[in-house]
């Protein structure tokens, strides 16, 4: 249903004569153009991905051998904390917003986002917040080291780095909320005539639902860290047991945000994959309506399962059963999506360009992450695996092989539209195979380590875990180096390459492919009519 | 909250955008202050239930009402 034949679009051809904008740095500081802002989001995200990646390599270097050899334990804990925060709030979420900025107006036939200035502000809040988070490494007491989950009482007692972290989260959260308001308003109000909700491309649907999730849970996180802040400095006792507060309450509030956050990160990647697979299978997406309902079902269920992160804190038996079964229930709409992606490929005329390779890699690895999630949903098993490397393996299969592979696939898919050049397929293939192989070398052994009982967030470990840790560290460095190939492929594509036609992919059907490549500064000055 | 998908009247569209944005902002503020105020309810199950129920209702209404457009 989302497939729009190009002969069904009337008018709407863009023209670039209105593309007046300041030159140089002022263009980027003052821009309200969705493409400029999307580009800045994507580069910011990639920069933070490299910084967070460096932290991950510091962690893996320390864990190459048992014993303490490179960093002291406090710094190691700061690295695990900042790695999590930077990857989630600095890399994955802004990356998704970058795709949204670039694509949503073009896919719905709009000239730009609904609130241009708000869009500019949303982006420019991020760099100061990221700098503040990183600078916390330099303050007395060091950066926050209580884990990205920031559980009290540790975070009530820790130093000034925690205050900077709380402030950075407030700012990044405000940025996300403003971005979400913009996205929802754009999709609801700026669709081209004839573009009904059930004709929206799946990427827009995925982002619409993601934005609703963000609107609902980011204020809850902001509320939680505000209470943490007042506990630290203003004498309140929300979570301070000494004053009658309850530290476990923070865990409830945090995971009320934290579990939907997982879907906030993965749903935009679902949307990207839902664009790529039909294109390279040369078939319409199988079960469009069921895909939309599955997205909505995942979003709703994500609010009902938060306490599965807290099975070891002590919950009533009835609660444990509820959260266990509710968590398992999420496998149903997720299974619908996986089934529909496979059914789309079934008897399709499949070709394996880089976007499709990443989509297939996503499918294969995300399903592994999904299954280990199902295993962790079973409370008696979770009690054994809580805080082990099994959990680390599970969520990296979802976050990295799921979201990141989706973003890589999406980048290669839309690079011709963004730059006007085709990317180097050989470099992109090297990037895929390097990422795919080394990702598994890095993270699959963590399942074994977790099953054997190796705890997470520790800089030292018992001798028997050495071999798999060495393998994992080698994989992590290989995965990191593979990302330099990605950087080379993107830079090469920006600087030149074979000119890209308006529609470089034979099977592509959504509105952005009716625009020339590179997409003009203003997309649809007169709205196209979708019949 | 949303208008029909047309861009014939820019002023009307601007007003609709502003209205949608303000409604969403109001929801953000309710959730932000709601989660803090709910701490003052003695029974955590009730407070979490109230906020959770509000979120669920909001999602069902927010997504559901646009499905037919």
């Amino acid at each position: 249903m989302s497939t729009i034949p190009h002969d069904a679009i009337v008018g709407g051809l863009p023209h670039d004569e209105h593309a007046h904008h300041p030159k140089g740095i002022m263009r980027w500081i003052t821009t309200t153009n969705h493409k400029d802002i999307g580009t800045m989001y994507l580069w910011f995200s990639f920069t933070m991905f490299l910084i967070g990646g460096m932290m991950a390599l510091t962690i893996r270097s320390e864990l190459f051998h048992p014993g303490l050899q490179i960093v002291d334990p406090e710094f190691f804990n700061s690295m695990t904390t900042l790695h999590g925060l930077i990857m989630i709030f600095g890399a994955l979420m802004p990356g998704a917003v970058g795709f949204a900025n670039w694509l949503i107006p073009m896919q719905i036939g709009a000239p730009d986002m609904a609130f241009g200035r708000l869009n500019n502000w949303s982006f420019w809040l991020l760099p100061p917040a990221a700098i503040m988070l990183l600078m916390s490494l330099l303050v007395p007491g060091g950066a926050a080291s209580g884990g990205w989950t920031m559980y009290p009482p540790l975070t009530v007692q820790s130093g000034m780095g925690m205050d900077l972290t709380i402030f950075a989260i407030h700012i990044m959260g405000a940025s996300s909320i403003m971005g979400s308001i913009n996205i929802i308003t754009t999709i609801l109000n700026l669709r081209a005539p004839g573009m009904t909700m059930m004709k929206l491309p799946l990427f827009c649907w995925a982002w619409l639902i993601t934005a609703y999730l963000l609107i609902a849970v980011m204020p809850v996180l902001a509320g939680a860290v505000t209470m943490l802040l007042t506990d630290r400095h203003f004498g309140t006792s929300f979570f301070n047991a000494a004053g009658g507060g309850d530290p476990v309450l923070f865990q409830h509030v945090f995971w009320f945000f934290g579990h939907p956050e997982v879907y906030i990160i993965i749903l935009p990647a679902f949307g990207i994959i839902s664009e790529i697979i039909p294109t390279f299978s040369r078939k319409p997406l199988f079960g469009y309506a069921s895909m939309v309902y599955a997205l909505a079902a995942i979003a709703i269920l994500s609010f009902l399962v938060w306490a599965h992160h807290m099975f070891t804190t002590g919950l009533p038996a009835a609660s444990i059963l509820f959260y266990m079964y509710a968590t398992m229930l999420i496998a149903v709409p997720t299974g619908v999506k996986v089934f529909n992606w496979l059914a789309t490929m079934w008897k399709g005329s499949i070709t394996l360009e880089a976007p499709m390779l990443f989509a297939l890699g996503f499918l294969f690895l995300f399903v592994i992450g999904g299954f280990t999630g199902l295993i962790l949903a079973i409370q008696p098993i979770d009690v054994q695996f809580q805080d082990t490397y099994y959990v680390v393996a599970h969520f990296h299969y979802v976050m990295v092989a799921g979201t990141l592979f989706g973003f890589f696939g999406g980048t290669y898919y839309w690079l011709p539209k963004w730059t006007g050049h085709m990317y180097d397929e050989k470099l992109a293939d090297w990037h895929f195979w390097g990422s795919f192989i080394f990702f598994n070398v890095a993270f699959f052994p963590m399942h074994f380590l977790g099953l054997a009982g190796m705890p997470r967030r520790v800089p030292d470990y018992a001798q028997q875990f050495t071999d798999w840790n060495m393998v994992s560290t080698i994989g992590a460095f290989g995965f990191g180096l593979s990302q330099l190939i990605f950087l080379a492929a993107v830079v090469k594509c920006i600087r030149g390459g074979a000119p890209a036609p308006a529609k470089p992919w034979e099977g592509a059907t959504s509105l952005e492919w009716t625009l020339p490549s590179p997409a003009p500064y203003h997309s649809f000055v007169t709205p196209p009519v979708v019949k | 909250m949303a208008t029909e998908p047309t861009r014939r009247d820019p002023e009307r569209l601007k007003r609709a955008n502003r209205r949608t944005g303000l409604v969403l902002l109001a929801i953000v503020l309710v959730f932000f202050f709601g989660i803090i105020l709910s701490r003052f309810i003695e029974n955590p199950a009730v407070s979490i239930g109230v906020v959770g129920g509000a979120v669920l209702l909001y999602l069902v209404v927010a997504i559901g009402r646009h499905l037919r457009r």
Side-chain angles (χ1 to χ4, degrees), chain B residues 21-36:
Chain B
L22 286 173
V23 169
L24 293 169
L25 181 64
I27 292 166
V28 168
L29 294 175
V30 166
F31 285 161
F32 175 73
F33 290 109
I35 200 73
I36 295 175

Side-chain angles (χ1 to χ4, degrees), chain A residues 108-111 114-115 177 180-181 184-185 188-198 205 209 212-213 215-216 219-220 222-224 226-227 238-239 249 252-253 256 292-293 296 299-300 303-304 306 524-528, chain B residues 1-8 13-22 24-33 35-40 44 47-49 51-53 55-56 58-63 65-69:
Chain A
I108 64 172
F115 304 113
I177 288 167
S180 302
I181 289 175
I184 293 173
T185 309
L188 293 185
N189 291 354
L190 294 187
R191 280 167 288 136
M195 173 76 78
T196 56
M197 290 302 279
M198 291 311 267
W205 256 117
I209 290 168
Y212 276 124
L213 284 179
I215 292 280
V220 174
T226 302
M227 289 187 272
F238 288 107
F239 309 124
L249 220 51
H252 278 291
V253 180
F256 187 79
V292 172
Y293 291 122
I300 289 167
F303 282 106
L304 305 176
W306 77 86
F524 292 97
V525 178
T526 49
Chain B
M1 203 149 85
T3 58
E4 287 300 306
T6 173
R7 259 176 266 141
R8 278 179 209 143
L13 184 63
K14 211 178 264 184
R15 278 201 303 276
N17 285 345
R18 209 169 293 151
R19 201 163 50 239
T20 309
L22 286 173
L24 293 169
L25 181 64
I27 292 166
V28 168
L29 294 175
V30 166
F31 285 161
F32 175 73
F33 290 109
I35 200 73
I36 295 175
L37 292 176
S38 70
R39 302 296 107 221
F40 294 101
S47 59
I48 290 171
V51 177
V55 170
L56 195 64
Y58 147 73
L59 272 177
V60 169
V61 172
I63 296 172
R65 71 191 290 265
H66 291 288
L67 277 180
R68 293 197 177 277
R69 297 193 181 167

Side-chain angles (χ1 to χ4, degrees), chain A residues 292-367:
Chain A
V292 172
Y293 291 122
L295 282 170
I298 290 170
I300 289 167
L301 286 172
S302 76
F303 282 106
L304 305 176
V305 297
W306 77 86
H308 70 213
H309 295 272
M310 300 167 56
F311 279 152
T312 53
T313 55
L315 293 168
S319 296
I320 288 172
L321 284 173
F322 171 79
Y323 287 112
M324 198 165 97
Y325 290 123
T327 304
M328 290 178 184
L329 206 57
I330 296 186
V332 176
T334 311
V336 167
K337 299 195 77 63
V338 172
F339 176 84
N340 285 358
W341 287 323
L342 293 175
T344 304
M345 286 189 277
W346 178 253
K347 290 187 175 176
S349 181
I350 297 174
T351 50
L352 294 176
E353 288 89 344
M356 188 62 169
L357 282 177
F358 273 104
L360 293 176
F362 164 95
L363 257 182
F364 184 66
L365 298 177
F366 174 75
V367 167

